[in-house]
Amino acid sequence: MYLLTVIFLIVLSTPAISAEMGHMSGMTEAHNAIRLKLGIEPLKWSDELAQYAREWADFLANENQCVLRHRPQTGEYGQQYGENVYWASSIQFSNGGNEIQQIDAGKVVNSWAAESIDYDHRKNTCRDGKTCGHYTQVIWSTTTELGCGMSLCKDKSQVWVCNYYPPGNIKGQVPY
């Protein structure tokens, strides 16, 4: 009886395996660190959104020659959510070889968050000639869930995609 009790207690005290594993580990935490600075509610990981994001990352890597683009609004891959995309090259060596660059969730999210310097909250616009929509999607206050995926390209570069529900970047509305 004692052995069964010990095993039972070990099982109960073992943390559940996160659905946000592998390359995606830390993705929700990285998003929420940015949101916390602005007092915005944290996001929750969605396996459904992660599958959706991975599907698009796979398409871009395998059928679009690793060229980044957002999902189209209509058609087979019609967009249903908010979306951020990120590309990382492979590491190139002088002898012609290459290898996969070590990229983690924090680097991806921080690249989007870096656009904050080009966002003017008072005017709710990006500075002239700048991009800030990735940042505003990360901090969109009515967004509650995210899911992300990554796919390797033939040249060992990487495509990262995150999808958000409900989507942000709604014209005429402010992110927070």
Side-chain angles (χ1 to χ4, degrees):
M1 181 66 174
Y2 176 73
L3 182 59
L4 282 174
T5 303
V6 170
I7 291 171
F8 182 70
L9 288 173
I10 290 171
V11 170
L12 284 179
S13 65
T14 303
I17 296 173
S18 171
E20 186 183 323
M21 297 180 345
H23 291 295
M24 296 306 112
S25 180
M27 190 60 81
T28 305
E29 180 182 356
H31 276 80
N32 288 338
I34 306 300
R35 295 167 69 89
L36 180 65
K37 292 175 187 176
L38 298 170
I40 300 169
E41 290 293 316
L43 297 173
K44 293 180 183 163
W45 183 260
S46 164
D47 288 337
E48 180 181 328
L49 288 173
Q51 181 178 343
Y52 188 81
R54 178 61 190 263
E55 176 185 272
W56 188 243
D58 287 348
F59 172 84
L60 293 174
N62 300 319
E63 298 180 41
N64 204 53
Q65 292 75 47
C66 224
V67 175
L68 282 191
R69 67 180 176 132
H70 288 281
R71 280 180 182 259
Q73 294 301 310
T74 61
E76 177 185 358
Y77 290 103
Q79 183 59 269
Q80 302 173 38
Y81 307 107
E83 182 173 81
N84 279 343
V85 293
Y86 176 89
W87 178 82
S89 68
S90 61
I91 298 172
Q92 305 290 319
F93 297 105
S94 59
N95 67 3
N98 65 351
E99 68 181 40
I100 298 168
Q101 189 178 160
Q102 297 303 308
I103 302 292
D104 62 22
K107 183 168 185 162
V108 174
V109 176
N110 287 333
S111 75
W112 296 327
E115 294 177 358
S116 66
I117 63 170
D118 296 317
Y119 177 65
D120 185 333
H121 185 70
R122 286 182 298 114
K123 295 179 183 177
N124 192 30
T125 60
C126 298
R127 301 201 193 290
D128 286 342
K130 300 295 183 174
T131 300
C132 63
H134 300 101
Y135 167 67
T136 54
Q137 177 58 81
V138 168
I139 62 162
W140 202 266
S141 65
T142 58
T143 298
T144 58
E145 298 178 31
L146 86 149
C148 306
M150 187 275 290
S151 191
L152 287 174
C153 303
K154 291 176 185 165
D155 66 355
K156 298 182 183 174
S157 61
Q158 303 165 47
V159 174
W160 294 68
V161 177
C162 285
N163 287 113
Y164 304 85
Y165 178 81
N169 291 336
I170 299 168
K171 196 171 187 93
Q173 295 183 16
V174 294
Y176 62 95

